[in-house]
Amino acid sequence: MFEIRPRDLIWLYIFLLYVPLCLLVYRRLSPSLSPTSKRLSIGMLVAQVLVIVLCLAIRPTSLFQEWLWKLGAEWNIPSALASAQLALVGVVALFTAWQARTIPAWQRLYFLGLGLVFLFLGLDEFFDFRTSIHNLRGHYMVVGAAMVVATVIVAVRSPRGSWIWQICLLLGLSIVAVGGLLFDVTSDFCGTIGFFRPSGGCLEPDYFEETLEILGVWLALIALLGQFSRIVPTPKPRVHLVLYVAPALWILLLARASPVPDIPYQKFGYGIQPALVRFESEEYLYGYHIEVDDEEIELQLYSYPWGSIDIGLGYSIHLVDQTSGGSVASRDNLLKRDRSFQLFGDNFVRVYAQEIEIEFPPEAPVNRALWVVLTLWRRQDDEYVRQEVLSSDLPLLGDNQVILGELVLPAHSPAAPTLPLAAFDSGVLLHAVRMPERAIAGETLEITFSWRSDESGDEDHVQFLHFGREKTSEWFVYDQQPLGPRLPTRLWYAGLADSEAWQVTLPADLPPGRYSVFTGLYRARDQERVPARQADGRPWLDARVPLGSITIE
């Protein structure tokens, strides 16, 4: 058994199988190609092999260089050249449909369809639409099957001498399908391959997948060039010029449209919140996005495994009641490495996207502040060990829980029965107050406030309660959040209607007598009172709303 490094095994595959196969195919088919077609096909082959060799030979010294020359990545040099080859196939097909005058109209439509499909595949190779378009792979399978059926029909209706080009195209599509479907579901291989045993690491399937796809597309290019040479034997000189220039123009267009300059580090865009959270497993959280609707919450997490990729790592999302600390709903997932994005700037980072959805259970409490909490864990035997947070720019709930955000599940709100006692400038309305006429010093006084909100809250307000003794102007002050800690005003939503029963403990030495009672709101950040108005629009003096009087015994 021979010990061999994984990259050396890929070198053997390239030079003992890949390149000889390409040269054999070219030698067999080149006599039927026009001079322009020969130069285009051999030039594209040389460029692709050269890039593959560079990807194998270059030893990256930074994350940026690793991305720049990594086969299978998007928006980089290998993907740009592979995209240009796909686009060239599409351009040749479109020129065939345009220039051909001797074939039936339905065959010209066939070449037109091939051209449009390969142009889209060229865009997808560079921009990776598969990560944003749902079930695009399933659509690819349908389109691929349609291309195969159409090619077979064209072959049956064409002269036998041209069958070699349809066979070449079908062979190319088959190789692309093998590379795209088979190796996408294959993990890194660390075992023995024949007489060879990879050492010093595992064999990544990306190199085989990408080289197979490149080979399949190159065969499709030869097939379309062959049919172009047969159907349009003497094209105009400007057609030759366009075919030569097309790959370079395509790469320039990709560079111009590339999202690389538009995604600077720490400015994700698309509603993604930047973060920098480091766990003890050397997993980093770089960003997250939260969407909430009436039935569920959807999260996207963007993480990077700074250390080795640990397949035993997973994460949990809990909705935690801010008052009781109990979990209302939760979901667990293993960390995945099948979707990646590039973040550019001074600190280049390759991040992996994690997606998770949590449906709100029927018994989930409404009008209560909930934290969205992230926990990272590692599975060890039958236990799930939480990973400590080493550093974080997000608030923590303990040493292993990161607070990503907060939300509230709204309750059905009936229409307001009466005019409000007070309308505050923040869009909050005080509708009713229930207060006893008499109370005893040292005991607990219960006062119920009914609130509504016409606007969504964005900051914390505190409600004050002032008891002023009418004879001596002595004051007793009591402050708390209007609906208590269960629902801070920053989470109030338009249409909220709720009430809170305050339990106010009166001082035992509170002098007996008659007290005037006032209430109001002030901003927690600067202690400034929020202006309040009566139902008819007149302002309350000193932003204080009089509630009547109470006798303390």
Side-chain angles (χ1 to χ4, degrees):
M1 191 68 63
F2 298 99
E3 295 284 347
I4 187 170
R5 293 178 302 177
R7 282 181 177 264
D8 293 335
L9 191 58
I10 299 172
W11 280 105
L12 289 174
Y13 155 73
I14 295 294
F15 287 106
L16 295 182
L17 178 62
Y18 186 88
V19 173
L21 178 61
C22 294
L23 295 177
L24 180 63
V25 171
Y26 179 77
R27 182 179 179 183
R28 172 66 179 85
L29 300 179
S30 61
S32 303
L33 297 175
S34 66
T36 298
S37 299
K38 289 180 181 179
R39 286 189 284 268
L40 281 172
S41 59
I42 198 65
M44 191 58 69
L45 174 63
V46 171
Q48 294 282 16
V49 172
L50 179 61
V51 168
I52 294 173
V53 169
L54 288 175
C55 291
L56 288 171
I58 292 177
R59 296 295 188 266
T61 58
S62 67
L63 290 172
F64 180 77
Q65 291 182 10
E66 179 182 350
W67 159 79
L68 196 64
W69 293 101
K70 181 174 177 58
L71 284 173
E74 296 77 38
W75 312 339
N76 64 357
I77 292 175
S79 66
L81 189 58
S83 174
Q85 180 172 253
L86 282 161
L88 182 57
V89 177
V91 170
V92 173
L94 292 178
F95 269 96
T96 304
W98 176 39
Q99 294 287 312
R101 305 297 181 185
T102 59
I103 62 175
W106 67 270
Q107 289 193 18
R108 297 178 68 179
L109 289 176
Y110 161 75
F111 285 110
L112 175 63
L114 282 182
L116 295 178
V117 169
F118 275 101
L119 286 178
F120 178 79
L121 292 176
L123 292 174
D124 180 47
E125 178 66 26
F126 188 74
F127 292 106
D128 192 20
F129 298 137
R130 285 163 289 185
T131 61
S132 57
I133 300 179
H134 177 66
N135 198 26
L136 187 58
R137 184 171 298 282
H139 298 321
Y140 276 172
M141 295 176 66
V142 174
V143 172
M147 292 170 62
V148 170
V149 172
T151 302
V152 172
I153 294 175
V154 170
V156 171
R157 302 293 296 273
S158 300
R160 181 170 297 184
S162 67
W163 286 4
I164 184 64
W165 305 119
Q166 281 85 23
I167 294 174
C168 185
L169 178 58
L170 293 175
L171 179 61
L173 293 177
S174 300
I175 293 177
V176 170
V178 170
L181 298 179
L182 178 61
F183 286 104
D184 273 357
V185 298
T186 303
S187 58
D188 293 356
F189 184 77
C190 305
T192 301
I193 304 177
F195 295 101
F196 302 103
R197 175 184 298 164
S199 62
C202 296
L203 188 62
E204 299 180 5
D206 288 350
Y207 289 95
F208 295 103
E209 173 190 357
E210 293 299 320
T211 52
L212 280 177
E213 290 184 358
I214 290 171
L215 174 60
V217 176
W218 182 73
L219 290 175
L221 175 62
I222 288 185
L224 268 298
L225 287 172
Q227 298 197 61
F228 180 74
S229 301
R230 180 182 66 85
I231 298 174
V232 191
T234 56
K236 297 179 180 180
R238 66 172 180 265
V239 174
H240 294 283
L241 179 61
V242 172
L243 293 179
Y244 284 134
V245 176
L249 288 178
W250 184 263
I251 291 177
L252 290 176
L253 289 174
L254 292 181
R256 182 67 183 88
S258 171
V260 171
D262 301 327
I263 309 182
Y265 179 64
Q266 291 295 332
K267 293 183 180 179
F268 288 71
Y270 308 107
I272 301 176
Q273 300 296 319
L276 187 56
V277 181
R278 178 190 174 199
F279 295 89
E280 65 174 309
S281 59
E282 295 301 318
E283 187 83 12
Y284 283 71
L285 177 68
Y286 277 105
Y288 61 96
H289 177 63
I290 300 176
E291 290 186 4
V292 182
D293 59 26
D294 295 337
E295 298 180 353
E296 64 180 10
I297 175 174
E298 298 182 3
L299 292 95
Q300 292 84 39
L301 306 176
Y302 301 90
S303 63
Y304 179 78
W306 200 263
S308 61
I309 296 178
D310 189 341
I311 61 174
L313 282 176
Y315 62 98
S316 301
I317 297 294
H318 285 263
L319 302 183
V320 178
D321 190 309
Q322 294 187 16
T323 304
S324 66
S327 178
V328 173
S330 65
R331 183 77 180 272
D332 306 320
N333 267 352
L334 285 173
L335 283 174
K336 300 178 181 179
R337 311 298 186 193
D338 56 348
R339 290 184 58 190
S340 62
F341 299 84
Q342 325 298 330
L343 302 182
F344 294 85
D346 296 334
N347 299 300
F348 172 84
V349 180
R350 180 185 180 92
V351 295
Y352 292 85
Q354 319 291 332
E355 295 183 353
I356 191 169
E357 299 177 357
I358 303 177
E359 294 184 358
F360 300 131
E363 66 277 9
V366 296
N367 284 357
R368 295 188 71 88
L370 304 176
W371 278 313
V372 182
V373 177
L374 166 68
T375 303
L376 190 70
W377 44 262
R378 174 184 282 118
R379 183 175 181 177
Q380 296 178 350
D381 297 328
D382 293 331
E383 296 184 359
Y384 298 89
V385 182
R386 290 184 175 183
Q387 303 298 292
E388 183 180 352
V389 178
L390 300 182
S391 61
S392 174
D393 59 350
L394 299 177
L396 301 180
L397 189 63
D399 59 358
N400 51 33
Q401 294 178 301
V402 181
I403 299 176
L404 300 180
E406 56 184 357
L407 58 91
V408 58
L409 303 183
H412 174 71
S413 301
T418 59
L419 292 175
L421 294 177
F424 294 86
D425 284 0
S426 59
V428 172
L429 306 174
L430 178 60
H431 263 273
V433 178
R434 293 199 306 271
M435 181 178 64
E437 296 180 355
R438 311 181 73 86
I440 300 176
E443 295 187 352
T444 299
L445 171 67
E446 181 176 293
I447 304 178
T448 300
F449 297 93
S450 296
W451 294 93
R452 299 185 70 90
S453 180
D454 289 338
E455 301 177 9
S456 298
D458 57 1
E459 62 179 343
D460 286 329
H461 291 159
V462 180
Q463 181 182 355
F464 61 82
L465 195 60
H466 292 176
F467 297 81
R469 194 179 181 192
E470 297 177 353
K471 290 185 178 180
T472 62
S473 298
E474 295 176 324
W475 292 91
F476 166 61
V477 178
Y478 186 88
D479 296 354
Q480 75 169 41
Q481 298 178 68
L483 294 179
R486 67 179 173 91
L487 189 59
T489 56
R490 66 178 181 272
L491 293 178
W492 286 18
Y493 52 89
L496 167 76
D498 205 342
S499 60
E500 182 73 8
W502 285 30
Q503 305 296 324
V504 181
T505 301
L506 300 175
D509 58 353
L510 189 65
R514 190 168 184 83
Y515 288 78
S516 298
V517 184
F518 301 87
T519 192
L521 299 174
Y522 64 85
R523 294 188 295 266
R525 58 182 172 87
D526 58 10
Q527 311 296 308
E528 290 291 330
R529 290 183 182 177
V530 180
R533 299 180 181 275
Q534 303 178 44
D536 58 6
R538 291 179 298 166
W540 286 113
L541 184 63
D542 294 331
R544 296 193 310 174
V545 181
L547 302 180
S549 60
I550 186 172
T551 301
I552 304 297
E553 300 175 350

